[in-house]
Amino acid sequence: MLRTFRADLHIHSCLSPCGDEEMKPCAIVNQALAMGLDMIAICDHNSAENIAAFKSAGHERGLAVIPGMEVTSKEEIHLLALFDRQEDCLALQDLIYQNLPGENVEEVFGCQTVVNERDETIGINRKMLIGATLLPLEQIVSVVGSLRGVTIASHIDRQAFSLLGQLGFIPEGISLDGLEISIRTSKEEAQKRFHAYQRFSFVRFSDAHHLENIGKNITPFLLEETTSEEIKMALHHQEGRRVLEQ
Amino acid sequence: MTVFDIVKSFELKVRGGKDRLHEEVTGGYASDLLSDVIAHSRKGNIWVTIQTHPNIVAVATMKELAGIILTGGREPDVDTIQKAEEEGIPLLVSPLFTFELVGRLYQIGISGMSPC
């Protein structure tokens, strides 16, 4: 049976250099539940090393956690990738790591903490996660597609690190599943500004880097269950699944 | 030549990091891809870009650049100014577009590096 799921599918953890140190599994899951969310996705920059911890923290408290990542293409475009299976997300991470030069400079970009489901630090990621991969956008989109993942262009209303900010247009034939609008742009304004891209589904997520921003910009989906496959169907209006008006 | 000399020559607006205008400029780099700037700019370079978000200050800090010039009259984001103040990175604005500004910088003796 189809029902409504309130989703915030763009949240950064303490693994993202720009993510607040408080952004750990129990803290995020509690905040998401307090905000009435049914489903979240953890999308750290170019890494998915915290997803297992979040998945089990969510499982314990009855919150669906979708494994995800926010990948930076060589054009410096941010792209959300969402998966059902952790191993598919980690397969993407392998490809990203082979194509991500540089080491993090903690004092400049921030700390990249790997945690367990009890919010304990179990490691520090040394890669320069804030950097860009050597992979072109269209290759990342097609790899995520072949891993049965969902692709959503991040915050297209922003100038920095967005598909429209970096390229100025959406390339013909790219098989994106959706476009994300940030909290900075109202729904009405987005409809007007991005009228030319109405063939894509628009979604709104928080892009939270701090606890207080979780659930501040969300999208309700009509789905049968909380899987990325169902989300993909909703983004393409298939079999009754859809993105609901807020 | 110092950052201050460049500010005077082109009547640049100083939006942040004004305490560090005495820094010596070793050369210039122009690019709008941060990864490219990280890979190819050199310590003491003046960086010419149209990007206005706070990450430009992080990159300039990491690469110990002498300053950033935003072109086409683009103004930095509020967070960018704040970060430039904290990190002491001169943040400058020129009404000229990149090509024109870089040409004029070259004329007063700021050069880039040849790839080796």
Side-chain angles (χ1 to χ4, degrees):
Chain A
M1 203 185 66
L2 293 169
R3 55 165 281 226
T4 304
F5 293 95
R6 287 162 51 85
D8 185 353
L9 303 180
H10 186 175
I11 297 176
H12 289 269
S13 83
C14 52
L15 174 58
S16 291
C18 41
D20 195 276
E21 271 307 290
E22 288 179 353
M23 297 296 266
K24 292 180 176 168
C26 301
I28 287 184
V29 168
N30 288 340
Q31 180 69 10
L33 290 171
M35 293 299 289
L37 298 176
D38 302 298
M39 176 168 44
I40 63 168
I42 297 301
C43 295
D44 284 310
H45 291 296
N46 299 310
S47 183
E49 289 187 39
N50 274 349
I51 58 170
F54 275 91
K55 190 110 190 139
S56 53
H59 187 73
E60 274 175 33
R61 293 169 185 75
L63 178 73
V65 179
I66 306 278
M69 203 188 300
E70 185 172 36
V71 183
T72 311
S73 75
K74 82 188 262 198
E75 303 91 345
E76 299 190 349
I77 296 164
H78 286 179
L79 177 80
L80 298 177
L82 306 172
F83 298 90
D84 279 329
R85 302 177 341 143
Q86 290 186 37
E87 47 274 45
D88 292 327
C89 194
L90 296 175
L92 176 66
Q93 179 181 269
D94 284 345
L95 175 72
I96 299 299
Y97 280 5
Q98 286 161 27
N99 291 281
L100 183 66
E103 265 187 40
N104 188 35
V105 183
E106 221 169 82
E107 306 74 51
V108 178
F109 299 111
C111 188
Q112 303 178 158
T113 313
V114 183
V115 288
N116 64 18
E117 67 277 11
R118 292 183 299 280
D119 291 6
E120 294 159 349
T121 299
I122 56 169
I124 300 293
N125 185 304
R126 304 281 174 203
K127 292 192 146 294
M128 193 161 75
L129 300 182
I130 200 73
T133 65
L134 305 171
L135 305 167
L137 178 74
E138 300 190 57
Q139 185 182 343
I140 300 167
V141 170
S142 102
V143 167
V144 174
S146 67
L147 291 166
R148 288 169 296 170
V150 176
T151 51
I152 298 171
S154 303
H155 41 66
I156 60 156
D157 54 315
R158 287 182 50 193
Q159 198 58 40
F161 302 109
S162 79
L163 174 57
L164 294 180
Q166 295 296 107
L167 295 190
F169 63 95
I170 299 181
E172 281 296 315
I174 193 166
S175 56
L176 284 169
D177 297 307
L179 307 176
E180 183 199 46
I181 310 288
S182 82
I183 196 165
R184 302 174 190 205
T185 304
S186 74
K187 220 171 155 184
E188 298 69 38
E189 208 181 319
Q191 290 295 346
K192 242 185 279 167
R193 244 174 92 186
F194 306 116
H195 187 78
Y197 302 118
Q198 274 183 332
R199 66 181 185 278
F200 294 101
S201 284
F202 293 176
V203 288
R204 306 180 63 93
F205 305 131
S206 70
D207 194 4
H209 288 69
H210 300 272
L211 281 177
E212 65 268 24
N213 295 328
I214 292 170
K216 290 282 170 68
N217 198 33
I218 69 138
T219 297
F221 288 92
L222 193 63
L223 310 171
E224 246 182 23
E225 50 182 355
T226 51
T227 63
S228 69
E229 198 186 340
E230 289 270 323
I231 293 164
K232 191 169 200 151
M233 288 166 78
L235 294 172
H236 296 286
H237 324 287
Q238 291 165 346
E239 298 179 40
R241 277 80 168 166
R242 59 194 173 92
V243 175
L244 294 169
E245 297 291 314
Q246 281 145 279
Chain B
M1 188 175 314
T2 65
V3 178
F4 185 68
D5 297 329
I6 295 174
V7 169
K8 269 198 311 189
S9 302
F10 301 111
E11 296 179 357
L12 303 179
K13 294 181 186 121
V14 180
R15 298 296 187 229
K18 59 179 181 305
D19 303 340
R20 296 286 291 278
L21 298 179
H22 56 273
E23 293 284 318
E24 199 62 32
V25 175
T26 58
Y29 200 75
S31 179
D32 304 314
L33 275 185
L34 304 194
S35 51
D36 178 55
V37 178
I38 290 171
H40 300 296
S41 66
R42 297 285 180 270
K43 184 177 175 179
N45 281 180
I46 191 88
W47 171 22
V48 180
T49 183
I50 59 169
Q51 299 286 7
T52 58
H53 52 74
N55 292 292
I56 59 174
V57 178
V59 169
T61 306
M62 177 195 184
K63 298 293 293 188
E64 301 177 72
L65 303 183
I68 307 169
I69 307 178
L70 308 181
T71 55
R74 286 179 184 238
E75 288 292 337
D77 303 353
V78 177
D79 321 5
T80 310
I81 295 174
Q82 195 189 335
K83 201 156 178 185
E85 287 295 335
E86 284 165 19
E87 300 288 343
I89 297 289
L91 190 57
L92 316 165
V93 173
S94 167
L96 301 177
F97 292 114
T98 298
F99 191 93
E100 185 63 26
L101 180 72
V102 169
R104 294 193 196 183
L105 283 167
Y106 206 92
Q107 280 178 338
I108 65 163
I110 306 287
S111 60
M113 266 96 28
S114 309
C116 41

Short mmCIF file of all heavy atoms in Angstrom, two decimals, chain A residues 74-76 103 105 107-109 128 130-133 158-161 166 184, chain B residues 32-36 38 51-53 55 57-59 61-62 74 77 83 87:
data_model
loop_
_atom_site.label_atom_id
_atom_site.label_comp_id
_atom_site.label_asym_id
_atom_site.label_seq_id
_atom_site.Cartn_x
_atom_site.Cartn_y
_atom_site.Cartn_z
N LYS A 74 34.53 16.28 -11.92
CA LYS A 74 35.71 17.07 -12.30
C LYS A 74 35.32 18.50 -12.66
O LYS A 74 36.13 19.42 -12.55
CB LYS A 74 36.50 16.38 -13.41
CG LYS A 74 35.98 16.57 -14.81
CD LYS A 74 36.73 15.70 -15.78
CE LYS A 74 37.83 16.47 -16.48
NZ LYS A 74 38.24 15.73 -17.71
N GLU A 75 34.06 18.70 -13.05
CA GLU A 75 33.58 20.06 -13.34
C GLU A 75 33.21 20.80 -12.05
O GLU A 75 32.70 21.91 -12.09
CB GLU A 75 32.34 20.01 -14.24
CG GLU A 75 32.51 19.28 -15.56
CD GLU A 75 32.16 17.79 -15.47
OE1 GLU A 75 32.06 17.27 -14.35
OE2 GLU A 75 32.00 17.16 -16.53
N GLU A 76 33.45 20.14 -10.89
CA GLU A 76 33.10 20.68 -9.57
C GLU A 76 31.59 20.87 -9.42
O GLU A 76 31.12 21.87 -8.89
CB GLU A 76 33.92 21.94 -9.24
CG GLU A 76 35.40 21.59 -9.21
CD GLU A 76 36.33 22.65 -8.66
OE1 GLU A 76 35.90 23.79 -8.47
OE2 GLU A 76 37.51 22.30 -8.44
N GLU A 103 45.43 15.14 -0.07
CA GLU A 103 45.22 14.81 1.34
C GLU A 103 44.54 15.97 2.03
O GLU A 103 44.81 17.12 1.73
CB GLU A 103 46.58 14.59 2.02
CG GLU A 103 46.98 13.13 2.05
CD GLU A 103 48.23 12.91 2.87
OE1 GLU A 103 48.37 13.55 3.94
OE2 GLU A 103 49.06 12.11 2.43
N VAL A 105 43.68 18.88 4.59
CA VAL A 105 44.40 19.76 5.50
C VAL A 105 43.38 20.16 6.56
O VAL A 105 42.54 21.02 6.34
CB VAL A 105 44.94 21.02 4.77
CG1 VAL A 105 45.75 21.88 5.72
CG2 VAL A 105 45.78 20.61 3.57
N GLU A 107 43.30 21.73 9.38
CA GLU A 107 43.19 23.09 9.92
C GLU A 107 42.42 24.01 8.97
O GLU A 107 41.83 24.99 9.38
CB GLU A 107 44.58 23.70 10.17
CG GLU A 107 45.51 22.87 11.04
CD GLU A 107 46.08 21.66 10.29
OE1 GLU A 107 46.59 21.83 9.17
OE2 GLU A 107 45.97 20.53 10.82
N VAL A 108 42.51 23.71 7.67
CA VAL A 108 41.86 24.56 6.68
C VAL A 108 40.43 24.10 6.38
O VAL A 108 39.49 24.90 6.39
CB VAL A 108 42.68 24.59 5.36
CG1 VAL A 108 41.97 25.44 4.31
CG2 VAL A 108 44.08 25.12 5.62
N PHE A 109 40.26 22.82 6.12
CA PHE A 109 38.96 22.33 5.65
C PHE A 109 38.11 21.69 6.75
O PHE A 109 36.90 21.57 6.61
CB PHE A 109 39.15 21.33 4.50
CG PHE A 109 39.84 21.93 3.31
CD1 PHE A 109 41.12 21.56 2.96
CD2 PHE A 109 39.19 22.89 2.55
CE1 PHE A 109 41.75 22.12 1.87
CE2 PHE A 109 39.82 23.46 1.44
CZ PHE A 109 41.10 23.08 1.10
N MET A 128 41.42 14.07 0.72
CA MET A 128 40.87 15.42 0.60
C MET A 128 39.45 15.31 0.06
O MET A 128 39.20 15.51 -1.13
CB MET A 128 41.74 16.31 -0.28
CG MET A 128 41.33 17.78 -0.13
SD MET A 128 42.57 18.94 -0.67
CE MET A 128 42.38 18.75 -2.41
N ILE A 130 36.94 17.20 0.38
CA ILE A 130 36.33 18.43 -0.13
C ILE A 130 36.71 18.66 -1.60
O ILE A 130 36.07 19.44 -2.31
CB ILE A 130 36.74 19.66 0.73
CG1 ILE A 130 35.79 20.83 0.54
CG2 ILE A 130 38.18 20.09 0.45
CD1 ILE A 130 34.46 20.64 1.20
N GLY A 131 37.73 17.94 -2.07
CA GLY A 131 38.23 18.15 -3.43
C GLY A 131 37.33 17.56 -4.50
O GLY A 131 36.32 16.92 -4.21
N ALA A 132 37.74 17.76 -5.75
CA ALA A 132 36.97 17.24 -6.88
C ALA A 132 37.59 15.92 -7.35
O ALA A 132 38.80 15.75 -7.30
CB ALA A 132 36.98 18.24 -8.02
N THR A 133 36.73 15.01 -7.80
CA THR A 133 37.24 13.78 -8.41
C THR A 133 37.72 14.10 -9.82
O THR A 133 37.47 15.20 -10.33
CB THR A 133 36.15 12.70 -8.51
OG1 THR A 133 35.14 13.17 -9.41
CG2 THR A 133 35.52 12.41 -7.16
N ARG A 158 21.87 27.13 -6.45
CA ARG A 158 23.05 27.82 -5.92
C ARG A 158 24.10 27.99 -7.01
O ARG A 158 24.20 27.19 -7.93
CB ARG A 158 23.65 27.03 -4.76
CG ARG A 158 22.82 27.10 -3.50
CD ARG A 158 23.50 26.35 -2.38
NE ARG A 158 24.91 26.73 -2.25
CZ ARG A 158 25.79 26.06 -1.52
NH1 ARG A 158 25.43 24.97 -0.88
NH2 ARG A 158 27.04 26.47 -1.43
N GLN A 159 24.90 29.03 -6.88
CA GLN A 159 25.96 29.30 -7.85
C GLN A 159 27.11 28.31 -7.65
O GLN A 159 27.66 27.78 -8.61
CB GLN A 159 26.43 30.75 -7.68
CG GLN A 159 27.18 31.31 -8.86
CD GLN A 159 26.37 31.27 -10.15
OE1 GLN A 159 25.17 31.53 -10.15
NE2 GLN A 159 27.02 30.91 -11.25
N ALA A 160 27.46 28.06 -6.40
CA ALA A 160 28.65 27.28 -6.09
C ALA A 160 28.38 25.78 -6.19
O ALA A 160 27.41 25.29 -5.64
CB ALA A 160 29.13 27.61 -4.68
N PHE A 161 29.22 25.07 -6.91
CA PHE A 161 29.22 23.60 -6.98
C PHE A 161 27.91 23.00 -7.47
O PHE A 161 27.57 21.88 -7.12
CB PHE A 161 29.56 23.00 -5.60
CG PHE A 161 30.89 23.45 -5.08
CD1 PHE A 161 30.97 24.33 -4.00
CD2 PHE A 161 32.06 23.02 -5.67
CE1 PHE A 161 32.20 24.75 -3.52
CE2 PHE A 161 33.29 23.43 -5.20
CZ PHE A 161 33.36 24.30 -4.12
N GLN A 166 27.93 25.67 -12.55
CA GLN A 166 29.20 25.33 -13.21
C GLN A 166 29.06 25.24 -14.73
O GLN A 166 29.95 25.66 -15.45
CB GLN A 166 29.76 24.01 -12.67
CG GLN A 166 30.15 24.05 -11.20
CD GLN A 166 31.29 25.01 -10.89
OE1 GLN A 166 31.08 26.06 -10.30
NE2 GLN A 166 32.50 24.67 -11.28
N ARG A 184 17.21 28.01 0.12
CA ARG A 184 17.32 29.44 -0.23
C ARG A 184 16.27 29.90 -1.24
O ARG A 184 16.02 31.09 -1.38
CB ARG A 184 18.70 29.72 -0.85
CG ARG A 184 19.83 29.36 0.06
CD ARG A 184 21.14 29.53 -0.66
NE ARG A 184 22.21 28.96 0.14
CZ ARG A 184 23.47 29.32 0.07
NH1 ARG A 184 23.84 30.28 -0.76
NH2 ARG A 184 24.38 28.75 0.81
N ASP B 32 38.72 29.18 -12.40
CA ASP B 32 37.50 29.13 -11.60
C ASP B 32 37.22 27.74 -11.05
O ASP B 32 36.21 27.52 -10.40
CB ASP B 32 36.31 29.62 -12.42
CG ASP B 32 36.58 31.01 -12.96
OD1 ASP B 32 37.05 31.86 -12.18
OD2 ASP B 32 36.37 31.24 -14.16
N LEU B 33 38.11 26.80 -11.34
CA LEU B 33 37.97 25.45 -10.78
C LEU B 33 38.93 25.35 -9.60
O LEU B 33 40.14 25.47 -9.77
CB LEU B 33 38.32 24.38 -11.81
CG LEU B 33 37.25 23.92 -12.78
CD1 LEU B 33 37.76 22.77 -13.62
CD2 LEU B 33 35.96 23.53 -12.08
N LEU B 34 38.40 25.10 -8.42
CA LEU B 34 39.25 25.07 -7.22
C LEU B 34 40.32 23.99 -7.32
O LEU B 34 41.45 24.19 -6.90
CB LEU B 34 38.40 24.83 -5.97
CG LEU B 34 37.26 25.80 -5.69
CD1 LEU B 34 36.77 25.63 -4.27
CD2 LEU B 34 37.64 27.24 -5.94
N SER B 35 39.94 22.83 -7.89
CA SER B 35 40.90 21.72 -7.99
C SER B 35 42.09 22.12 -8.87
O SER B 35 43.22 21.73 -8.61
CB SER B 35 40.21 20.48 -8.54
OG SER B 35 39.53 20.79 -9.74
N ASP B 36 41.82 22.92 -9.87
CA ASP B 36 42.87 23.39 -10.77
C ASP B 36 43.79 24.37 -10.03
O ASP B 36 45.01 24.32 -10.17
CB ASP B 36 42.20 24.06 -11.98
CG ASP B 36 43.21 24.63 -12.95
OD1 ASP B 36 44.09 23.87 -13.39
OD2 ASP B 36 43.13 25.83 -13.26
N ILE B 38 44.26 24.44 -6.78
CA ILE B 38 45.01 23.64 -5.80
C ILE B 38 46.20 22.97 -6.49
O ILE B 38 47.31 22.93 -5.97
CB ILE B 38 44.09 22.59 -5.14
CG1 ILE B 38 43.08 23.28 -4.21
CG2 ILE B 38 44.91 21.55 -4.36
CD1 ILE B 38 41.99 22.38 -3.67
N GLN B 51 34.62 32.95 -8.76
CA GLN B 51 33.94 32.24 -7.66
C GLN B 51 33.90 33.14 -6.43
O GLN B 51 34.89 33.81 -6.12
CB GLN B 51 34.68 30.94 -7.30
CG GLN B 51 34.74 29.95 -8.43
CD GLN B 51 33.41 29.24 -8.70
OE1 GLN B 51 32.37 29.58 -8.13
NE2 GLN B 51 33.44 28.27 -9.58
N THR B 52 32.77 33.13 -5.72
CA THR B 52 32.61 34.08 -4.61
C THR B 52 32.34 33.39 -3.27
O THR B 52 32.13 34.04 -2.26
CB THR B 52 31.43 35.03 -4.89
OG1 THR B 52 30.24 34.24 -5.07
CG2 THR B 52 31.66 35.88 -6.12
N HIS B 53 32.29 32.04 -3.27
CA HIS B 53 31.92 31.32 -2.05
C HIS B 53 33.11 31.13 -1.10
O HIS B 53 34.26 31.31 -1.51
CB HIS B 53 31.29 29.97 -2.42
CG HIS B 53 32.13 29.16 -3.36
ND1 HIS B 53 33.27 28.52 -2.96
CD2 HIS B 53 32.01 28.93 -4.68
CE1 HIS B 53 33.81 27.90 -3.99
NE2 HIS B 53 33.06 28.14 -5.06
N ASN B 55 34.79 28.75 0.08
CA ASN B 55 35.86 27.78 -0.19
C ASN B 55 37.06 28.40 -0.89
O ASN B 55 38.16 27.86 -0.80
CB ASN B 55 35.32 26.64 -1.06
CG ASN B 55 34.34 25.79 -0.30
OD1 ASN B 55 34.70 25.09 0.64
ND2 ASN B 55 33.08 25.88 -0.67
N VAL B 57 38.54 31.03 0.01
CA VAL B 57 39.47 31.47 1.06
C VAL B 57 40.23 30.27 1.62
O VAL B 57 41.42 30.34 1.90
CB VAL B 57 38.73 32.23 2.18
CG1 VAL B 57 39.69 32.64 3.28
CG2 VAL B 57 38.01 33.45 1.62
N ALA B 58 39.52 29.13 1.74
CA ALA B 58 40.17 27.90 2.23
C ALA B 58 41.30 27.50 1.27
O ALA B 58 42.41 27.17 1.70
CB ALA B 58 39.16 26.78 2.36
N VAL B 59 41.02 27.58 -0.02
CA VAL B 59 42.04 27.21 -1.02
C VAL B 59 43.22 28.19 -0.96
O VAL B 59 44.39 27.78 -0.97
CB VAL B 59 41.43 27.18 -2.44
CG1 VAL B 59 42.50 27.08 -3.51
CG2 VAL B 59 40.45 26.00 -2.56
N THR B 61 44.20 29.91 1.58
CA THR B 61 44.93 29.66 2.83
C THR B 61 45.84 28.45 2.67
O THR B 61 47.02 28.49 3.01
CB THR B 61 43.93 29.40 3.98
OG1 THR B 61 43.01 30.48 4.03
CG2 THR B 61 44.64 29.27 5.31
N MET B 62 45.27 27.39 2.13
CA MET B 62 46.02 26.14 1.95
C MET B 62 47.24 26.36 1.06
O MET B 62 48.31 25.83 1.32
CB MET B 62 45.08 25.11 1.32
CG MET B 62 45.70 23.79 1.01
SD MET B 62 44.59 22.90 -0.10
CE MET B 62 45.45 21.37 -0.22
N ARG B 74 31.92 41.06 -9.34
CA ARG B 74 31.25 40.10 -8.45
C ARG B 74 31.65 40.35 -7.02
O ARG B 74 32.82 40.46 -6.70
CB ARG B 74 31.62 38.66 -8.82
CG ARG B 74 30.94 38.21 -10.09
CD ARG B 74 31.37 36.80 -10.41
NE ARG B 74 30.81 36.39 -11.68
CZ ARG B 74 30.01 35.34 -11.85
NH1 ARG B 74 29.72 34.56 -10.84
NH2 ARG B 74 29.54 35.05 -13.04
N ASP B 77 30.46 36.46 -1.06
CA ASP B 77 29.39 36.14 -0.11
C ASP B 77 29.80 36.70 1.26
O ASP B 77 30.98 36.88 1.53
CB ASP B 77 29.21 34.63 0.02
CG ASP B 77 28.91 33.95 -1.31
OD1 ASP B 77 28.72 34.66 -2.31
OD2 ASP B 77 28.89 32.71 -1.34
N LYS B 83 35.42 34.84 6.48
CA LYS B 83 36.51 33.88 6.47
C LYS B 83 37.83 34.53 6.05
O LYS B 83 38.89 34.22 6.58
CB LYS B 83 36.16 32.72 5.53
CG LYS B 83 36.93 31.49 5.81
CD LYS B 83 36.24 30.24 5.34
CE LYS B 83 37.18 29.06 5.65
NZ LYS B 83 36.72 27.79 5.16
N GLU B 87 41.18 34.52 8.25
CA GLU B 87 42.40 33.88 7.73
C GLU B 87 43.44 34.89 7.25
O GLU B 87 44.55 34.51 6.92
CB GLU B 87 42.04 32.94 6.56
CG GLU B 87 41.08 31.82 6.92
CD GLU B 87 41.72 30.74 7.79
OE1 GLU B 87 42.97 30.68 7.85
OE2 GLU B 87 40.97 29.96 8.40
#
